[in-house]
Amino acid sequence: MLPANLLLSSLFLASSVAALSPLLDPWHARPHVPYVDEPDDSVSVFHVSTNEQISSYKETYYFDQLIDHSNPKLGTFKQRYWHSYEFYEPGGTIVLMTPGEVSADGFTGYLTNSTINGMIMQATNGAGIVLEHRFFGKSSPYPDLSVKSLRVHTIQQSIDDLEYFAKNVKLPMPGGDKVTPDKAPWIMIGGSYPGALVSYAMHNKPGLFWAGYSSSGVVQAIGHFWGYFEPIRQSMPKNCSADVEAVIGYVDKVLDSGNATAIHDMKAIFGLEGIAHDDDFGAAMKLPFNYWQEGSIESESVGFYQFCDALEVDKGKSAPASGWGLDHALKAWGAFWKDGFYNAACGNSTAEACFGTHDPTSSSWNNTELSDGRSWNWLLCNQFGFWMIGASEGHPTLVSRHLTAQYNERGCQYDFPGAFKGPKTLSILNALAVNNAYGGWNVTTDRLIFANGQRDPWREATVAADGASFPKNDLQPHLLSDGFHCSDMLASEGKSKAVKEVQDKAVEYMTKWYADWKKAKA
Ligand SMILES: *[C@@H]1O[C@H](CO)[C@@H](O)[C@H](O)[C@H]1NC(C)=O
Ligand SMILES: *[C@@H]1O[C@H](CO)[C@@H](O)[C@H](O)[C@H]1NC(C)=O
Ligand SMILES: *[C@@H]1O[C@H](CO)[C@@H](O)[C@H](O)[C@H]1NC(C)=O
Ligand SMILES: *[C@@H]1O[C@H](CO)[C@@H](O)[C@H](O)[C@H]1NC(C)=O
Ligand SMILES: *[C@@H]1O[C@H](CO)[C@@H](O)[C@H](O)[C@H]1NC(C)=O
Ligand SMILES: *[C@@H]1O[C@H](CO)[C@@H](O)[C@H](O)[C@H]1NC(C)=O
């Protein structure tokens, strides 16, 4: 899942290139389903039982997909996919995944057993497919992302894509024209937004997929998504959260005061006095938290720990759980910006050019060229919301409460002129409509596995949200590990015992459900 702040994406592309500091560019901290090393193209692929050489994982195929499922007369576009039948035996499963909100280039590892996809294929005689999502990568129905073109960029169209694909594709393998969902058990897998799509598609198209695996599936659309920071707050070092809360409490008190001199002086501590508007300043202060999502069992997020170390380690000594307190933390956070973080985030840009979002005439808006960031923003603006903002009053917050939903909603209006004119609560209403249409937390679909990670910042939008007591049983297992975002999709993350258990369980369920299919068909 891309951070919502990529609403400003075009603005930052230029500045991100030149980052000189060893700090990772926080705007491009890992979003979405993790990449996994692509298989070496020079190594031939052999079918597991016939030993016949089959085509390379990287061979690209094209499917003629309908531009508009509610108006097939508009014709088709080329939707890219990749495929492997290394583990396939006649009668086996068809394991489909889309990487969702990014180009599908670089995801062929999901055809191999380095991923949960491959593990399930191995256990169920499955063939694998990686299908690019409409409007991402090179699978665009139209050559631009104008508001007019984006009319056919909806969750429903993408679910309809899955159905039309499954019912019409002729897979490039022996018998590949006889594996439609009425003849073969299709399994859908997805992580992050596509994890939600698994649940949505199974709810919306009963009978299309025999089984599903939703990893970090953000099934509950949430307009004002301050819950993104809750798993971070709960899992990060205690001293660091204590000091962050103290600093943000102070920042908000000063911003609330409306005293221009005091506000200027406070922003200057971070070298950010050039930022004119308080919500832009709040967005800047949020930036280090983008690093968290980078975390994995294999390597904790380096960027995030650099941030906490900067706040909590003083002359080689680390603060007690209560932190150092406001005075030290404020100075230390300021120094962190000045000692490299600003450079990593903004390069040579001025602070206002880097963070300012209040100028509707800025060339960074309404750039209608194809871009994954803009495509994703369209879905956020139109349907999901997921605005990462300060917590509601009364809850502890890592993020300034001056960073509000209006910050994002204004971005939607500037970026897609004419498309959004609704009330201020628009994102809440949009999210409600998504949940009503696709079930949100309340889905009761059979043979659907939800797998989540305790430390996943998206957890509060998944069925593993705090305080959740959602339907679960042997036909809708809810599996939870100590992982991060989509950790359980990667074999390498099985280094964690809990992640490995989730993967083993998932394979066990899929094996059983595959047997159930065969029994039902016999
Ligand atoms: C940033 O400024 C330096 C020094 O003026 C210059 O050499 C460099 O090319 C600039 N980088 C960008 C991306 O503008
Ligand atoms: C993964 O698949 C490869 C063939 O691509 C096979 O050689 C290897 O043994 C498999 N690994 C496991 C753990 O099953
Ligand atoms: C505003 O803040 C400045 C700097 O902290 C302070 O000197 C001044 O007294 C404040 N003004 C008011 C009206 O509180
Ligand atoms: C304090 O912060 C440091 C640096 O991030 C961390 O390594 C340590 O575990 C923290 N200690 C406590 C008690 O929170
Ligand atoms: C947005 O961009 C499109 C394509 O470049 C252009 O036709 C349209 O006039 C722009 N809209 C506004 C309000 O600038
Ligand atoms: C989910 O269930 C709860 C409790 O029954 C209900 O209040 C809520 O409206 C439901 N949500 C949706 C999207 O159906």
Side-chain angles (χ1 to χ4, degrees), residues 236-240 304-313 318-323:
M236 70 195 275
K238 286 288 161 281
N239 47 17
C240 193
F304 192 85
Y305 283 88
Q306 281 177 303
F307 169 65
C308 277
D309 287 353
L311 263 60
E312 301 309 323
V313 182
S318 134
S322 55

Side-chain angles (χ1 to χ4, degrees), residues 259 261-262 265:
N259 178 336
T261 315
D265 294 350

